[in-house]
Amino acid sequence: MAIDYAVIVVYLVGMLAMGWWGMRRAKSKSEFLVAGRRLGPTMYSGTMAAIVLGGASTIGGVGLGYQYGLSGAWMVFTIGLGLLALSVFFSARIARLKVYTVSEMLDLRYGGRAGVVSGVVMWAYTLMLAVTSTIAYATIFDVLFDVNRTVAIILGGSIVVAYSTLGGMWSITLTDMVQFVVKTIGVLLLLLPIAVVKAGGFSEMKAQLPTEYFDPLGIGGETIFTYVLIYTFGMLIGQDIWQRVFTARSDKTAKWGGTVAGTYCLAYALAGAVIGTAAKVLYPKLGSADDAFATIVKDELPVGVRGLVLAAALAAVMSTSSGALIACATVANNDIWSRLRGKITGGDRDEVKDNRAFILIMGLAVIGTAIALNNVVEALTVAYNLLVGGLLVPILGGLLWKRGTAQGALASVAVGGLAVIGLMATYGILANEPIYYGLLSSLATYVVVSLATPATDAAVLEAWRERLAGRVPEPRSEPVPAHQ
């Protein structure tokens, strides 16, 4: 596997080099956290597709295809639907707000009283999302180098932490664009056709497998509905996704670039399910469905190609991991730490240093948590249940219903978040009830408390409308002089 190793090493060195290059560009808070809000359609589409299609979408998507057939595409398909909905209906308004975090948006809409509480919920979500991506390194590096789980997590996690800390969003954007290209070549153009050919083509796959493997709804209507609630709605409100929307050069870039990325996700979903179905023909008795990706890559692909496809899997994991990491650090610093200590930094360069330190700290926390945890699906479910159950209603309510109030938003976050946690403890982490009842309780609380409390101050709503219309420029501060 010397050639495969060489491909992987070149790829990893390239990621670090781009981190170093990004450090030279990230000289202000805007450059470091949102790439200066300067990404055009091509860069925006590629990086948005890269962040939403991570290890769960690649390794997990193939695993679902192995277990359920073509209907295994639904998990990733609902991610694509969520990105399309965000891009078409909300992204232009989000981009015009010129903020850095979801909590800042809530503060603008509700009058400055939702930041810390919503920040804690969003921080928990982004932390667990980064952890799940980091755990996935263990699978890939085990296939590559036959190293134990802890070493694999430290190796993969350290590379992501390094380039993210160096250049912030500029480094992540550059690496994500490369990762998007590698994923497209490795998964769509190489692994997909090779897997189908090795399995004997679609006719042989149909002959070898039960008919339910080719039923579009074979995975079950309740499962599909749950995927929509968790992933489609999760795409609408996650800090990791919004932070990419903030990088768009214009609201049109956010809308149409995101639409292209969402469409790409739909194709990626189907590809993963087909690869998994082919793996079921080739290896009908694998111990775990999640082993399908690594097994078919290791056993069926030629030298060199195998290295590229494994690099594609690494790319998928790294893009989501780095996006979740910078989102986690941004929320921790800007929405929680800065507010709790009540201190405002003196200028952009100080803020770059602060945010860089938080990425490093959060990165070490993510690596440590990933070593301690093992179940990726449970960790991801906890993350999305907290996000959707706690924050979906106050965020979409703020965007769509002018009668929503700060008291209603805060009560909704508290009730929805606590309900989800309590129901997961009662029914189990993977049960459907927590997200169903948590979301309903959050919605009911938001409506009832908002109607029972005074309407949001007219001046706050007017300032909100001005920001939504893009008539208020982004606040800027002068860089700190070098002698300070």
Side-chain angles (χ1 to χ4, degrees):
M1 292 184 66
I3 295 176
D4 295 325
Y5 289 156
V7 171
I8 298 295
V9 169
V10 168
Y11 168 76
L12 294 177
V13 171
M15 296 300 98
L16 292 173
M18 289 188 180
W20 182 262
W21 189 85
M23 182 177 67
R24 300 169 64 87
R25 298 197 64 166
K27 300 298 185 183
S28 69
K29 179 180 179 180
S30 177
E31 296 281 355
F32 191 82
L33 294 182
V34 291
R37 308 188 195 274
R38 289 194 282 138
L39 297 192
T42 301
M43 290 282 283
Y44 180 85
S45 298
T47 58
M48 183 62 89
I51 188 177
V52 300
L53 296 174
S57 300
T58 303
I59 298 170
V62 171
L64 287 171
Y66 182 89
Q67 191 172 358
Y68 298 105
L70 297 186
S71 67
W74 272 105
M75 183 186 79
V76 184
F77 201 83
T78 55
I79 290 173
L81 291 178
L83 185 52
L84 284 171
L86 173 72
S87 302
V88 172
F89 299 113
F90 299 107
S91 63
R93 281 182 284 178
I94 293 169
R96 288 196 293 265
L97 288 174
K98 294 292 188 288
V99 294
Y100 292 100
T101 68
V102 174
S103 295
E104 286 183 49
M105 167 263 169
L106 291 172
D107 276 352
L108 283 172
R109 168 60 181 81
Y110 294 113
R113 286 176 285 176
V116 174
V117 175
S118 61
V120 170
V121 176
M122 188 64 76
W123 173 80
Y125 156 72
T126 53
L127 179 72
M128 294 307 291
L129 185 61
V131 166
T132 60
S133 302
T134 305
I135 290 173
Y137 294 127
T139 301
I140 301 169
F141 279 102
D142 178 55
V143 175
L144 282 174
F145 305 118
D146 193 26
V147 296
N148 69 48
R149 180 178 180 276
T150 300
V151 173
I153 289 172
I154 292 173
L155 178 59
S158 297
I159 293 170
V160 169
V161 172
Y163 73 69
S164 300
T165 302
L166 285 172
M169 187 59 82
W170 265 122
S171 295
I172 293 170
T173 296
L174 294 169
T175 54
D176 276 1
M177 198 62 201
V178 174
Q179 289 158 357
F180 170 74
V181 172
V182 171
K183 267 193 291 195
T184 301
I185 295 172
V187 175
L188 296 183
L189 302 184
L190 293 175
L191 183 57
L192 174 61
I194 290 173
V196 172
V197 169
K198 291 282 187 179
F202 285 104
S203 58
E204 183 64 20
M205 290 162 64
K206 286 186 176 182
Q208 293 284 338
L209 297 172
T211 54
E212 55 263 29
Y213 264 71
F214 301 91
D215 179 358
L217 303 178
I219 199 169
E222 185 177 352
T223 299
I224 295 170
F225 180 65
T226 302
Y227 284 159
V228 170
L229 282 183
I230 294 176
Y231 298 116
T232 301
F233 286 129
M235 286 294 106
L236 299 180
I237 58 174
Q239 170 67 25
D240 52 323
I241 309 302
W242 277 41
Q243 201 156 341
R244 295 311 174 95
V245 175
F246 301 151
T247 67
R249 185 168 60 202
S250 65
D251 52 6
K252 290 184 178 179
T253 296
K255 182 176 182 178
W256 297 113
T259 302
V260 171
T263 305
Y264 177 90
C265 291
L266 303 183
Y268 200 87
L270 185 58
V274 171
I275 293 167
T277 305
K280 184 67 175 179
V281 174
L282 295 167
Y283 312 99
K285 295 182 179 180
L286 288 178
S288 169
D290 283 341
D291 293 337
F293 180 89
T295 302
I296 197 169
V297 169
K298 191 174 182 179
D299 293 350
E300 302 297 336
L301 299 185
V303 172
V305 173
R306 179 170 52 199
L308 184 59
V309 173
L310 287 171
L314 267 180
V317 175
M318 285 185 166
S319 56
T320 299
S321 182
S322 59
L325 176 59
I326 193 171
C328 179
T330 302
V331 170
N333 185 24
N334 292 268
D335 292 336
I336 301 175
W337 176 245
S338 294
R339 294 168 192 260
L340 290 178
R341 69 177 181 167
K343 182 180 178 181
I344 301 174
T345 55
D348 276 353
R349 289 188 183 175
D350 283 347
E351 292 183 77
V352 169
K353 186 183 296 183
D354 287 347
N355 282 293
R356 185 173 279 138
F358 266 85
I359 290 179
L360 179 59
I361 294 167
M362 291 298 108
L364 294 175
V366 164
I367 291 172
T369 308
I371 292 171
L373 295 178
N374 190 36
N375 194 310
V376 177
V377 176
E378 287 191 359
L380 193 64
T381 302
V382 169
Y384 274 98
N385 280 354
L386 280 172
L387 176 71
V388 175
L391 291 179
L392 177 69
V393 170
I395 291 172
L396 293 190
L399 289 169
L400 300 174
W401 189 41
K402 66 180 181 179
R403 186 60 182 81
T405 65
Q407 295 90 336
L410 287 170
S412 175
V413 172
V415 170
L418 290 174
V420 163
I421 293 170
L423 290 165
M424 283 192 294
T426 303
Y427 290 98
I429 289 175
L430 299 179
N432 293 327
E433 287 84 358
I435 192 62
Y436 294 166
Y437 300 134
L439 197 52
L440 285 174
S441 64
S442 178
L443 176 60
T445 301
Y446 181 71
V447 173
V448 170
V449 175
S450 290
L451 292 175
T453 52
T456 305
D457 185 83
V460 171
L461 288 178
E462 179 58 27
W464 166 252
R465 284 191 288 268
E466 288 292 304
R467 289 293 284 264
L468 274 182
R471 290 191 285 266
V472 179
E474 178 183 359
R476 295 183 183 275
S477 56
E478 293 300 319
V480 176
H483 67 270
Q484 293 184 7

